[in-house]
Amino acid sequence: MGKEVNGVSRSRFEMFTNSDEAAINKKLPKELLLRIFSFLDVVTLCRCAQVSRSWNVLALDGSNWQRIDLFDFQRDIEGRVVENISKRCGGFLRKLSLRGCLGVGDTALRTFAQNCRNIELLSLNGCTKITDSTCNSLSKFCPKLKHLDLASCTSITNLSLKALSEGCPLLEQLNISWCDQVTKDGIQALVRSCPGLKGLFLKGCTQLEDEALKHIGAHCPELVTLNLQTCSQITDEGLIIICRGCHRLQSLCVSGCANITDAILHALGQNCPRLRILEVARCSQLTDVGFTTLARNCHELEKMDLEECVQITDGTLIQLSIHCPRLQVLSLSHCELITDDGIRHLGSGPCAHDRLEVIELDNCPLITDASLEHLKSCHSLDRIELYDCQQITRAGIKRLRTHLPNIKVHAYFAPVTPPPSVGGSRQRFCRCCILL
């Protein structure tokens, strides 16, 4: 091999001869062409490889294949394609997404792991053929792995987490959503050996209990994002330990965790001042008391999903309007006690003029056109949801649009029942009945 230039040996450049007459090849140094090719996507690189022998060398050089996303080709990707890519890219490859590639299994990923030992980000989301064997391969050959997405890989068990804990100590983000065989034993092994974890996505891991959360709280001081949606067995006990041990927490999703109470909101307010995103949809035991503590202590809140928090009233909105000036997205759907007065406070709060972008008010029966009047000054408001708000009228929406012409309003108005026709004995139905 000759001396390398930008990762390509001179012996490769020797293939560019005077017979390659294209003007671009004459005027631009091959090093510069290689640099240009590094910005191209997979499809364009493959097309360039067919232009000429010289471009084939450049386009297929491993240095151009550091980031690959094959999601758009998920139906066509088979194991052999992944194996070929791994052999071509070798140590150059840093990021690979095989999201949705149902044809890829353990054998191909073992070859991949052996060839691409510098991989840092790997998405296998929805690759349902893979098993614990793949995680064993990653543990053995890929010590630099930082981000791993195994969502919906339902054959994954605690053995995978134990393998990752042994071979991938740099892991920062792990998504095992819907891997419902995972229990506290796997979580314990993982967090004890991966202290740098910043993101854990455990949505749908229905076997997890408070004991698993206690291990997270004790060993993950760097944790920023935690998703526990529909982990229905968890309670206040485990989440309070998370709050006390993870002071850097910025995003928490516990939607569908029906056992939690205001104690969680108090713990967040006292321990997690950086909180920006809170999703507590269908947590029906939460009240204004808890949200008052939260709002008074977590001033960086940007997104809140309070759908079906059926006990909250305008009191929560008053506290958010006073203490949360950065609020951008707020879902209040099915919060049936919210009234126009709460929206009035929100619309006059510090977040209203420049920050608030989305507000969802589906199935809020006490909301009227007066709420739309209160939102006219929210100049950043991009979308409002008003399905089944029976007291909202077309006229009210029209008036809102005169002030916010670009706003997206999602509402539904039932068809008007036609008046009875004169004469005749035929049974009459409204348009709804005809459609249904």
Side-chain angles (χ1 to χ4, degrees):
M1 277 289 196
K3 183 179 178 182
E4 287 195 356
V5 179
N6 283 359
V8 181
S9 65
R10 291 194 184 279
S11 59
R12 284 190 171 185
F13 284 149
E14 289 171 1
M15 292 187 65
F16 298 96
T17 65
N18 292 332
S19 61
D20 205 335
E21 295 296 331
I24 191 171
N25 293 330
K26 288 183 176 182
K27 293 184 177 294
L28 293 182
K30 303 306 178 280
E31 297 89 345
L32 183 54
L33 280 170
L34 183 65
R35 176 64 175 161
I36 293 171
F37 280 18
S38 71
F39 293 98
L40 303 180
D41 57 47
V42 172
V43 174
T44 309
L45 280 170
C46 290
R47 288 173 177 167
C48 289
Q50 301 175 58
V51 172
S52 67
R53 199 168 11 154
S54 57
W55 277 31
N56 181 275
V57 173
L58 288 176
L60 299 183
D61 188 84
S63 63
N64 290 324
W65 298 72
Q66 298 182 46
R67 298 172 298 277
I68 302 175
D69 187 346
L70 297 176
F71 176 70
D72 290 339
F73 316 101
Q74 55 181 299
R75 295 184 179 180
D76 305 314
I77 297 298
E78 297 177 352
R80 60 181 179 80
V81 176
V82 175
E83 293 179 16
N84 291 338
I85 287 175
S86 72
K87 292 172 183 176
R88 177 170 303 284
C89 299
F92 285 108
L93 190 60
R94 297 292 190 277
K95 300 178 181 180
L96 173 65
S97 175
L98 297 173
R99 183 164 61 102
C101 295
L102 300 178
V104 177
D106 292 329
T107 302
L109 287 165
R110 179 175 177 83
T111 301
F112 160 80
Q114 289 173 328
N115 288 314
C116 301
R117 302 190 182 205
N118 291 321
I119 192 73
E120 296 176 4
L121 185 152
L122 177 62
S123 176
L124 302 174
N125 189 318
C127 297
T128 52
K129 284 187 177 180
I130 72 167
T131 70
D132 293 328
S133 176
T134 285
C135 288
N136 284 328
S137 298
L138 295 173
S139 172
K140 187 174 181 180
F141 301 111
C142 303
K144 297 182 180 181
L145 192 62
K146 294 182 180 179
H147 295 243
L148 178 61
D149 188 347
L150 298 170
S152 299
C153 298
T154 52
S155 295
I156 293 298
T157 73
N158 290 335
L159 294 176
S160 285
L161 302 193
K162 291 175 181 177
L164 293 170
S165 72
E166 294 168 0
C168 304
L170 301 181
L171 206 60
E172 294 180 0
Q173 185 166 299
L174 177 66
N175 188 344
I176 51 171
S177 296
W178 309 113
C179 297
D180 56 4
Q181 297 187 59
V182 170
T183 70
K184 62 180 176 62
D185 295 332
I187 297 296
Q188 180 180 14
L190 178 77
V191 298
R192 282 186 171 180
S193 299
C194 301
L197 277 169
K198 296 179 180 178
L200 265 177
F201 299 83
L202 308 173
K203 179 179 179 180
C205 294
T206 52
Q207 293 197 56
L208 295 185
E209 301 172 334
D210 288 334
E211 199 65 31
L213 304 194
K214 292 177 183 179
H215 294 307
I216 296 172
H219 297 285
C220 299
E222 304 295 320
L223 196 66
V224 173
T225 302
L226 179 62
N227 190 319
L228 296 165
Q229 183 174 336
T230 66
C231 295
S232 55
Q233 297 191 61
I234 67 174
T235 71
D236 294 344
E237 184 181 359
L239 282 168
I240 288 173
I241 293 177
I242 291 281
C243 296
R244 290 175 178 171
C246 306
H247 298 292
R248 300 188 179 186
L249 197 65
Q250 295 182 19
S251 176
L252 176 64
C253 176
V254 286
S255 293
C257 300
N259 295 321
I260 69 173
T261 72
D262 283 344
I264 297 308
L265 302 181
H266 291 303
L268 285 168
Q270 293 164 4
N271 297 281
C272 304
R274 302 182 186 181
L275 193 68
R276 294 189 300 107
I277 299 173
L278 179 63
E279 299 178 32
V280 288
R282 303 182 302 285
C283 297
S284 57
Q285 297 188 59
L286 302 181
T287 73
D288 292 338
V289 176
F291 284 111
T292 295
T293 301
L294 182 79
R296 289 178 177 177
N297 291 277
C298 298
H299 306 302
E300 297 184 18
L301 280 165
E302 297 176 358
K303 176 183 177 182
M304 297 185 71
D305 185 354
L306 311 184
E307 182 175 347
E308 291 187 43
C309 291
V310 293
Q311 294 194 54
I312 66 171
T313 71
D314 294 338
T316 289
L317 298 193
I318 291 171
Q319 295 300 320
L320 292 177
S321 69
I322 295 171
H323 300 292
C324 300
R326 300 186 180 184
L327 199 60
Q328 298 176 18
V329 178
L330 180 62
S331 176
L332 298 167
S333 297
H334 296 271
C335 296
E336 297 186 357
L337 302 179
I338 297 296
T339 75
D340 295 332
D341 191 56
I343 302 301
R344 177 176 64 82
H345 281 91
L346 191 68
S348 61
C351 70
H353 299 288
D354 302 316
R355 296 278 186 168
L356 193 63
E357 297 177 0
V358 176
I359 184 166
E360 298 178 357
L361 297 168
D362 300 334
N363 291 95
C364 292
L366 303 181
I367 295 296
T368 74
D369 286 349
S371 284
L372 304 188
E373 295 293 322
H374 298 322
L375 294 172
K376 285 180 178 179
S377 60
C378 300
H379 303 300
S380 296
L381 198 61
D382 177 67
R383 175 167 60 87
I384 184 169
E385 303 281 340
L386 296 167
Y387 290 111
D388 292 313
C389 292
Q390 299 295 327
Q391 301 192 66
I392 296 292
T393 69
R394 286 188 174 88
I397 292 174
K398 185 176 181 180
R399 287 193 296 271
L400 177 65
R401 282 197 167 122
T402 61
H403 294 268
L404 303 172
N406 297 318
I407 192 172
K408 302 178 185 69
V409 179
H410 296 162
Y412 170 77
F413 297 94
V416 178
T417 303
S421 58
V422 179
S425 60
R426 182 174 60 86
Q427 189 175 8
R428 300 166 184 83
F429 298 94
C430 70
R431 288 179 59 193
C432 288
C433 297
I434 294 171
L435 291 172
L436 295 174

